[in-house]
């Protein structure tokens, strides 16, 4: 009889966990996946990437019809919002995709263990009332919203909400205050702004979107303001009181100073996410978390405890679905004795606003710091205004910026603001994965007319020779 029930037990069925489970099963390992949610797919499919994109996409159409963009193209319409129907198509997308993972589990013979998982020892996990043993356990428990002291989230009441509550608002708020000008703040803030809310973003730092290139961060502020968002940068929220359907926030300059108050019908708390390790029983296996609450692993995703692995939002690195997926595949391959690798230096990031903000690799500041001298870094930039497709499509905002090492011409980072920047960044990511120089990109034939030609032109600009500007 086998010593363990399973070769692999994955805890968590988000993009990290469900992908790891499928890959492990594909490699011939007997696999189970524990999930405490009613449906598979984790944060991403249930309350993250997918529902937010459903609302972003639908609200983009509404905005194009109401802000004059359609009229510019000869289409005169007066849009009428049916918010219930918009929510219904979002729920439908989520249902279809989470159901799809259930189908993939069945197809690949991955057993879904329903319930909360807690370690008893390194190879024994209690899932609900069942005890499951496995030779290898992958922790893929993901992350949850970071709370803000003094600002209590109550998604039921819909006055102070987190991202999950902000996806479900039953009516368009008259005035919405978004705390945190990061990815969630800009994405969900722009959904409700497009649907008619007055949106004020309160951000602690002096710029939006920490982690992105400075030019993108500055331009993101300009574009957000142009689209009607009010930005309160270098400002912190110190408290919040709720009276019926109104919230009153107290704000202060981040550096300290006079307090002021701000009223809102809805407050979105989006100041980051933190790893899920509570109730997992890490004590029982002697595994500690780091200062940020994350589980540390080695390059192969092994934790310090033999037979226990970890991937996704619960480990260090950007909290992104595709990073979690790639780690899931690599971890399963390592368990199966293959060589699973993730290149953490080349993970693209995309903010799905309109236009989209995207980037991969180093920012200009990081490149200068890494090479130790400004002169060792070359930069080429090309505005979307000069890209024939973007111009024709009435999409004037944005640019592509390529950062290369001066001596070798090797591309170190690519940043883009464009309606389809998230799609464009894939080519830059692949080029960097293959160690491309800016010249390699400049001499690659790009179809015309496409937004991607701006990447070619930015690469030509690194050499100082763009054609269309
Ligand atoms: P998760 O997806 O969080 O999954 C972990 C799962 O584990 C959960 O389902 C949880 O219920 C389960 N679990 C936890 N503990 C236990 C336990 N003890 N027992 C059993 N089950 C447990 N990323 C992108 O790349 N693109 C986007 O467009 C994007 N949009 C987002 C929008 C929003 C509003 C949010 C909140 C996030 C978004 N993200 C996006 C981030 C993305 O959702 C996460 O990076 C990704 O889901 C992480 O995957 P994961 O598998 O590590 O964890
Ligand atoms: P974030 O880290 O992107 O942004 C949080 C922002 O809040 C930061 O700008 C920070 O300076 C600010 N902040 C922190 N404390 C504050 C305070 N007290 N007052 C005012 N501002 C404060 O986190 P966010 O937006 O919550 O997203 C969480 C994670 O989810 C991100 O790390 C991202 O990786 C992931 N995500 C990814 C998406 C995508 O890939 N398109 C979409 C949505 C989320």
């Amino acid at each position: 009889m086998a010593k363990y029930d399973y070769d692999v037990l994955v805890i968590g069925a988000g993009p990290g966990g469900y992908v790891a489970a499928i890959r492990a099963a594909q490699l011939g390992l007997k696999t189970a996946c524990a999930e405490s949610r009613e449906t598979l797919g984790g944060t991403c499919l249930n309350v993250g990437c997918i529902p937010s994109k459903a609302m972003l996409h639908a609200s983009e159409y509404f905005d194009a019809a109401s802000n004059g963009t359609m009229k510019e193209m000869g289409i005169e319409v007066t849009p009428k919002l049916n918010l219930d129907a918009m929510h219904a198509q979002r729920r439908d997308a989520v249902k279809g995709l989470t159901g799809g993972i259930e189908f993939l589990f069945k197809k690949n013979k991955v057993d879904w263990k329903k319930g909360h998982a807690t370690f008893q020892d390194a190879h024994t996990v209690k899932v609900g009332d069942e005890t499951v043993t496995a030779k290898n356990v992958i922790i893929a428990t993901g992350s949850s919203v970071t709370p803000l002291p003094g600002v209590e989230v109550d998604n039921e009441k819909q006055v102070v909400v987190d991202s999950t509550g902000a996806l479900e608002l039953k009516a368009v708020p008259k005035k919405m205050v978004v705390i945190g000008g990061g990815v969630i703040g800009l994405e969900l803030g722009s959904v409700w702004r497009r649907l008619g809310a007055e949106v004020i973003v309160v951000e602690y730092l002096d710029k939006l979107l920490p982690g992105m290139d400075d030019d993108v961060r500055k331009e993101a502020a300009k574009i957000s303001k142009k689209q009607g968002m009010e930005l309160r940068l270098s400002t912190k929220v110190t408290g919040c009181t709720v009276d019926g359907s109104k919230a009153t926030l107290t704000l202060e300059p981040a550096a300290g100073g006079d307090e002021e108050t701000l009223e809102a019908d809805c407050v979105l708390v989006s100041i980051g996410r933190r790893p899920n390790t509570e109730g997992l029983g890490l004590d029982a296996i002697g595994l500690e978390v780091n200062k940020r609450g994350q589980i540390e692993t080695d390059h192969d995703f092994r934790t310090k405890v033999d037979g226990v692995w970890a991937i996704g939002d619960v480990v260090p690195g950007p909290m992104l679905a595709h990073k979690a997926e790639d780690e899931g595949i690599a971890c399963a391959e390592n368990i199966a004795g293959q060589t699973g690798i993730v290149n953490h230096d080349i993970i693209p990031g995309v903010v799905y606003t309109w236009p989209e903000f995207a980037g991969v690799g180093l920012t200009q500041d990081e490149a200068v710091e890494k090479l130790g001298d400004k002169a060792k870094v070359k930069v080429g930039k090309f505005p979307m205004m000069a890209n024939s497709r973007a111009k024709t499509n009435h999409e004037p905002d944005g640019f592509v910026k390529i950062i290369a090492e001066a001596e070798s011409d090797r591309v170190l980072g690519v940043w883009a603001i464009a309606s389809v920047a998230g799609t464009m960044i894939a080519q830059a990511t692949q080029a960097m994965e293959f160690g491309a120089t800016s010249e390699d990109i400049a001499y690659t034939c790009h179809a015309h007319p496409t937004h991607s030609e701006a990447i070619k032109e930015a690469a030509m600009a690194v050499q100082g020779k763009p054609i269309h500007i």
Side-chain angles (χ1 to χ4, degrees), residues 198-236:
E198 177 192 346
V199 175
I200 302 171
V201 179
V202 181
E203 165 58 48
Y204 186 81
L205 300 174
D206 62 351
K207 284 188 214 91
L208 303 170
L209 297 176
M212 296 204 114
D213 186 84
D214 239 37
D215 283 348
V216 173
R217 298 178 71 183
K218 285 183 203 149
E219 197 63 20
K222 275 194 215 154
I223 291 172
S224 303
K225 277 195 238 169
K226 195 165 109 181
Q227 294 180 350
M229 281 194 197
E230 186 183 328
L231 305 182
R232 304 289 298 270
L233 302 176
S234 306
T235 304
K236 63 181 171 195

Side-chain angles (χ1 to χ4, degrees), residues 4-244:
Y4 300 108
D5 301 331
Y6 291 94
D7 296 317
V8 180
L9 169 68
V10 185
I11 304 179
Y18 84 71
V19 168
I22 291 173
R23 191 77 181 124
Q26 282 175 344
L27 293 168
L29 300 169
K30 192 178 176 206
T31 306
C33 182
E35 172 57 59
S36 53
R37 225 182 262 274
E38 289 299 308
T39 46
L40 301 172
T43 304
C44 176
L45 272 67
N46 289 282
V47 292
C49 326
I50 296 303
S52 60
K53 265 80 258 177
M55 293 304 279
L56 279 156
H57 187 64
S59 63
E60 237 174 61
Y61 276 87
F62 184 80
D63 194 40
S66 40
N67 73 9
T69 309
M70 280 197 172
K71 202 170 171 195
E72 279 176 48
M73 293 187 275
I75 307 162
E76 296 194 14
V77 287
T78 309
K80 183 167 173 276
L81 179 64
N82 181 343
L83 188 55
D84 289 344
M86 198 178 275
H87 281 314
Q89 60 90 39
R90 164 179 60 80
R91 289 189 193 107
D92 204 42
V94 168
K95 195 170 170 222
L97 291 172
T98 54
I101 308 299
E102 214 175 318
F103 165 78
L104 289 175
F105 269 16
K106 281 187 191 133
K107 186 179 161 208
N108 288 284
K109 300 192 172 51
V110 174
D111 290 343
W112 175 9
K113 302 283 174 190
K114 296 184 186 181
H116 185 88
T118 311
F119 279 103
Q120 309 295 300
D121 63 45
H123 301 282
T124 313
V125 177
K126 211 155 184 271
V127 188
D129 297 332
E130 193 182 352
T131 300
V132 181
T133 61
K135 188 170 180 203
N136 297 280
V137 181
I138 303 177
I139 303 173
T141 49
S143 63
S144 315
V145 176
T146 304
L148 176 59
V151 185
E152 203 180 316
V153 167
D154 185 342
N155 285 335
E156 286 298 310
K157 284 198 184 130
Q158 306 213 322
V159 182
V160 182
V161 295
D162 58 21
S163 56
T164 303
L167 287 166
E168 294 278 356
L169 297 181
K170 290 189 190 89
V172 179
K174 209 164 164 293
K175 186 167 168 185
M176 179 181 222
V177 174
V178 174
I179 310 178
V183 192
I184 293 181
L186 288 197
E187 287 190 0
L188 294 182
S190 61
V191 165
W192 294 106
R193 206 272 320 143
R194 290 169 191 161
L195 299 181
E198 177 192 346
V199 175
I200 302 171
V201 179
V202 181
E203 165 58 48
Y204 186 81
L205 300 174
D206 62 351
K207 284 188 214 91
L208 303 170
L209 297 176
M212 296 204 114
D213 186 84
D214 239 37
D215 283 348
V216 173
R217 298 178 71 183
K218 285 183 203 149
E219 197 63 20
K222 275 194 215 154
I223 291 172
S224 303
K225 277 195 238 169
K226 195 165 109 181
Q227 294 180 350
M229 281 194 197
E230 186 183 328
L231 305 182
R232 304 289 298 270
L233 302 176
S234 306
T235 304
K236 63 181 171 195
V237 172
T238 50
C240 175
T241 52
V242 176
D243 186 5

Side-chain angles (χ1 to χ4, degrees), residues 213 345 360-364 366-367 370 403 412-415 432:
D213 186 84
D345 291 337
V360 60
L362 300 182
T363 65
Q364 188 171 349
E366 286 168 347
K370 188 173 174 193
I403 299 154
L412 302 173
V414 178
W415 298 87
M432 285 173 67

Side-chain angles (χ1 to χ4, degrees), residues 5 11 35 69 185 243 330 337-338 352 356 382 394 397 425 435 466:
D5 301 331
I11 304 179
E35 172 57 59
T69 309
D243 186 5
Q338 299 185 351
Y352 297 87
E356 295 172 345
F382 188 81
H394 305 261
D397 293 326
I425 210 69

Side-chain angles (χ1 to χ4, degrees), residues 16 97 108 112 133 226 268 274 283 290 298 374 418 430 449:
L97 291 172
N108 288 284
W112 175 9
T133 61
K226 195 165 109 181
L268 164 60
R274 58 179 186 185
D283 288 352
N290 68 15
D298 67 8
K374 238 176 158 174
Q430 195 161 41

